[in-house]
Amino acid sequence: MAVRYLKSAPAVTHDDAGSRGVRETVASVIADVRARGDEAVREYSEKFDNWSPESFRLSAEEVERIVSGVPSQVLADIRTVQARVRDFAQLQKDSLHDFEAEVEPGVFLGQKNIPVAAAGAYVPGGRYPLVASAHMTVVTAKVAGVERVAACTPPIRGEIPAATIAALHLAGADEIYLLGGTQAVAAMALGTDTIGAVDLLAGPGNAYVAEAKRQLFGEVGIDLFAGPTEILVIADGAADPFIVAVDLLSQAEHGPDSPAILITDSEPLARRAMELIDEILVDMPTRDYAAPAWRGHGVVAVVEDMAEAFTLADAYAAEHVQVLTSSPRDALSAMRNYGALFLGEGTCVSYGDKVIGTNHTLPTRGAARYTGGLWVGKYLKTVTYQEVISEAASVELGRLCGRAARVELFEGHARSGDVRAHKYAGDPLPWAPADR
């Protein structure tokens, strides 16, 4: 493949000194919450967020008061977006079917999709209160049928994030805690005297939240391992370089380590997009994040044709892939590694992040090679059941089980088959005690 890089970025490392520091800090907090429960949670909330209310859980009256203070247009917009997320999640759920089949006479096999009993939703605060994450985590869990959804979101500089609380409430969260960081994730995963443990954790967060989910995975389920937000734009010579530039920066503003990648078969478009990025950054309100992200993690690659563009894009396995070409739907058949595709000039990653209805919790750091993002199925356990009501079928299965198990030296397994072949067909049991 002939690739020319007009701008490149260093390879991503996953084990630098900073990462080790995060791991150690998170491990210490989790161990402390495991040992001291609510006492430790309160100490870390005071330390990291300067927040120590009488109760971290908001009462129904507090939620009602907070929601009543949110502007009516904000509430209307939240309802509109949540309806779209709910509708798409319902379409996903409707595509999943329980079934039962008689696979041979008297042998029934079946499958059921059972929601987890309790899920924890984490909605970040910090510089960007990610209101939309409430839709993606809570609405989707409720469509799946999760009975109890506990949600945590941190105070922002000592203030209650009213719009986020409103979104969590309207999404259907059963419990809302004004609590953030590793201590929130650990409390939901492990349980304390005042916060019940959950079965699955979902939602984005900073490096400490992501690391806490990683360390707790196994004790609880998680949606996925999350890293910095990524955007990859595939553009041909017909694309608008101004839109290319704007859309790359739309994701770079997430944080100074957010990769923004352009792959194109047009060097003139690439160079013009780079010029426009530099011009836009001059007075972009979020340039303190977007500028270092572009400087340190921006990539511009020029390839020979769109076939090479799709191949290179697949190698990146990026979280968001935006296709600004004359035939954007070609990507549907040409690509396999992406968190989500955004096809054509009329579509953008920001729609997916905020308003269109698909889930914005997506795989990063190459994880799109092996997983998709958060969806209604993540909250469901696909389980199986079996029933054999034919004695003749059980005899044949028993004989087959005996032979197959003994090949693997599993004598106990074999004997479970033997006893059924003996009971229903009189097969000998040479290993059985005489006085059984």
Side-chain angles (χ1 to χ4, degrees), residues 132-380:
S133 289
H135 321 329
M136 307 303 174
T137 52
V138 180
V139 169
T140 308
K142 283 300 181 182
V143 171
V146 179
E147 291 183 7
R148 171 179 166 253
V149 178
C152 285
T153 193
I156 301 177
R157 293 177 292 278
E159 300 292 328
I160 295 173
T164 301
I165 300 301
L168 289 168
H169 173 65
L170 294 175
D174 300 287
E175 304 161 18
I176 301 175
Y177 298 89
L178 207 52
L179 181 66
T182 301
Q183 60 272 20
V185 174
M188 289 191 289
L190 304 173
T192 70
D193 288 339
T194 61
I195 301 175
V198 301
D199 303 308
L200 185 142
L201 290 168
N206 63 17
Y208 292 91
V209 168
E211 177 61 19
K213 288 168 63 180
R214 189 191 70 79
Q215 291 190 20
L216 289 162
F217 177 58
E219 291 188 70
V220 292
I222 65 170
D223 48 358
L224 45 78
F225 297 114
T229 294
E230 305 162 352
I231 182 172
L232 188 151
V233 174
I234 301 172
D236 61 16
D240 183 336
F242 182 62
I243 288 179
V244 171
V246 169
D247 288 349
L248 285 167
L249 291 177
S250 74
Q251 298 300 299
E253 74 176 354
H254 271 275
D257 53 356
S258 291
I261 302 161
L262 171 61
I263 301 174
T264 180
D265 61 355
S266 170
E267 184 169 338
L269 176 128
R271 293 196 179 278
R272 181 57 182 150
M274 294 170 69
E275 292 172 355
L276 287 166
I277 286 172
D278 290 338
E279 294 173 15
I280 294 168
L281 280 171
V282 171
D283 58 0
M284 187 173 177
T286 51
R287 65 183 177 277
D288 54 341
Y289 278 6
W294 176 246
R295 285 196 306 267
H297 301 276
V299 174
V300 178
V302 179
V303 295
E304 291 296 322
D305 51 36
M306 280 297 105
E308 286 194 354
F310 291 136
T311 298
L312 182 58
D314 254 354
Y316 276 103
E319 177 185 18
H320 307 103
V321 176
Q322 192 165 321
V323 186
L324 299 176
T325 66
S326 55
S327 300
R329 294 181 71 87
D330 289 349
L332 288 171
S333 56
M335 291 189 64
R336 68 169 66 238
N337 298 334
Y338 51 84
L341 280 180
F342 301 83
L343 303 176
E345 186 179 277
T347 321
C348 63
V349 174
S350 295
Y351 287 176
D353 279 349
K354 306 299 181 186
V355 296
I356 207 168
T358 49
N359 207 293
H360 75 193
T361 305
L362 299 167
T364 60
R365 290 185 169 174
R369 292 178 295 106
Y370 58 83
T371 187
L374 180 61
W375 71 298
V376 71
K378 181 62 71 170
Y379 295 97
L380 299 170

